[in-house]
Amino acid sequence: MDSQEPAKPADMLRPLTERIRSDVLIGTFRPGEWLRQIDLQETYGTTRAQIRRSLDDLVLMGMAEHVPNRGIRLVAPSTEARSQISEIRTILEREAALMMVKDVRSGDMGKIAEAAAAFEKAVEIGSYAELRRLNHEFHRVLNGCLVNTMMATLLNDLRERNLPGSWSGWVSATTLKASSDDHVEMVEALRKRDGPRLADIFTRHINRWRTSRHLHPDYSD
């Protein structure tokens, strides 16, 4: 019998793990950076045992890896791994698009539009960490309109599995603007309940890094 624990969905994480995970997602830690327990204890003001449990959570989620006799470090997904995850995401998110246009409610629509607008505004004046945070929030709010919460959790987990490898993020002002424009188009497609259009935008958004990586391998979606 396989005794390995399954990866934990983000919604099931302990509070300290969620704090560290959120800091990873906004770029506080670099891909490949060693997560030293004593440093994390000081940063988060908690015990060694609590830090150890949270690091174990990150390993189970695929955001960090245990290196024998060295410790735990953040992963930096290879191009091949990112390609495979993108293929899976494309299949799932195209189907999710058709579900979203049926599930989305007026209250959801307002929150999604606000999240897209916040990111669009930050493109002009926001810091890297702020852009990362707002981008993360937009996708979480968007997926949150799904009635199928297991699908929403899976989409979030797959997307965020790539993020520890994205330090510099968007490769230029042009690709950053393109990402924001995608968000705006997603909102419009949702408003019109145009599932096929939304599916096509998702596909483009997920896979833009493939055409941008010759400029920078760490393009974020």
Side-chain angles (χ1 to χ4, degrees):
M1 180 180 293
D2 188 356
S3 61
Q4 184 176 1
E5 293 185 57
K8 288 191 176 187
D11 294 342
M12 296 172 57
L13 296 178
R14 63 188 97 241
L16 176 60
T17 303
E18 178 57 27
R19 287 179 62 194
I20 299 173
R21 172 179 164 278
S22 294
D23 284 344
V24 169
L25 294 178
I26 67 171
T28 300
F29 302 102
R30 294 176 179 270
E33 182 172 347
W34 293 98
L35 300 177
R36 303 188 187 283
Q37 292 185 15
I38 190 169
D39 294 335
L40 295 177
Q41 279 181 253
E42 182 176 346
T43 298
Y44 295 100
T46 189
T47 67
R48 186 180 183 89
Q50 290 173 317
I51 290 294
R52 187 180 299 114
R53 286 195 294 270
S54 290
L55 289 178
D56 288 342
D57 288 344
L58 294 179
V59 171
L60 289 172
M61 293 171 64
M63 297 183 78
E65 59 185 350
H66 179 263
V67 180
N69 302 317
R70 295 291 303 279
I72 293 175
R73 67 183 176 192
L74 287 179
V75 300
S78 66
T79 298
E80 180 180 0
R82 186 169 192 183
S83 180
Q84 291 178 4
I85 291 174
S86 294
E87 289 173 3
I88 296 169
R89 286 182 60 199
T90 299
I91 294 169
L92 292 177
E93 293 196 27
R94 287 190 67 86
E95 182 63 27
L98 303 180
M99 298 164 65
M100 283 179 180
V101 297
K102 296 178 182 178
D103 294 346
V104 68
R105 296 168 296 180
S106 58
D108 298 325
M109 202 65 252
K111 293 177 182 178
I112 296 167
E114 287 177 6
F119 182 81
E120 185 177 30
K121 182 178 180 180
V123 167
E124 302 297 330
I125 59 175
S127 65
Y128 171 78
E130 181 70 358
L131 285 164
R132 293 277 289 180
R133 183 184 67 79
L134 291 172
N135 188 50
H136 166 63
E137 288 184 2
F138 170 77
H139 286 282
R140 285 233 152 209
V141 172
L142 177 65
N143 292 334
C145 78
L146 287 165
V147 172
N148 187 327
T149 57
M150 291 185 69
M151 171 70 90
T153 297
L154 179 58
L155 296 181
N156 289 332
D157 288 347
L158 281 171
R159 177 179 174 276
E160 292 162 10
R161 188 174 298 184
N162 272 335
L163 296 185
S166 302
W167 171 252
S168 297
W170 300 274
V171 301
S172 68
T174 299
T175 50
L176 178 57
K177 180 66 165 53
S179 186
S180 180
D181 288 345
D182 283 350
H183 295 175
V184 173
E185 289 188 43
M186 290 174 197
V187 172
E188 186 61 22
L190 265 180
R191 281 202 176 107
K192 294 180 178 179
R193 298 189 182 274
D194 188 341
R197 174 60 179 155
L198 184 59
D200 287 344
I201 299 169
F202 282 173
T203 299
R204 181 182 69 206
H205 195 68
I206 292 168
N207 293 284
R208 182 176 284 114
W209 71 274
R210 298 181 189 275
T211 56
S212 300
R213 63 179 176 159
H214 68 286
L215 297 173
H216 198 296
D218 293 334
Y219 172 79
S220 294
D221 64 87

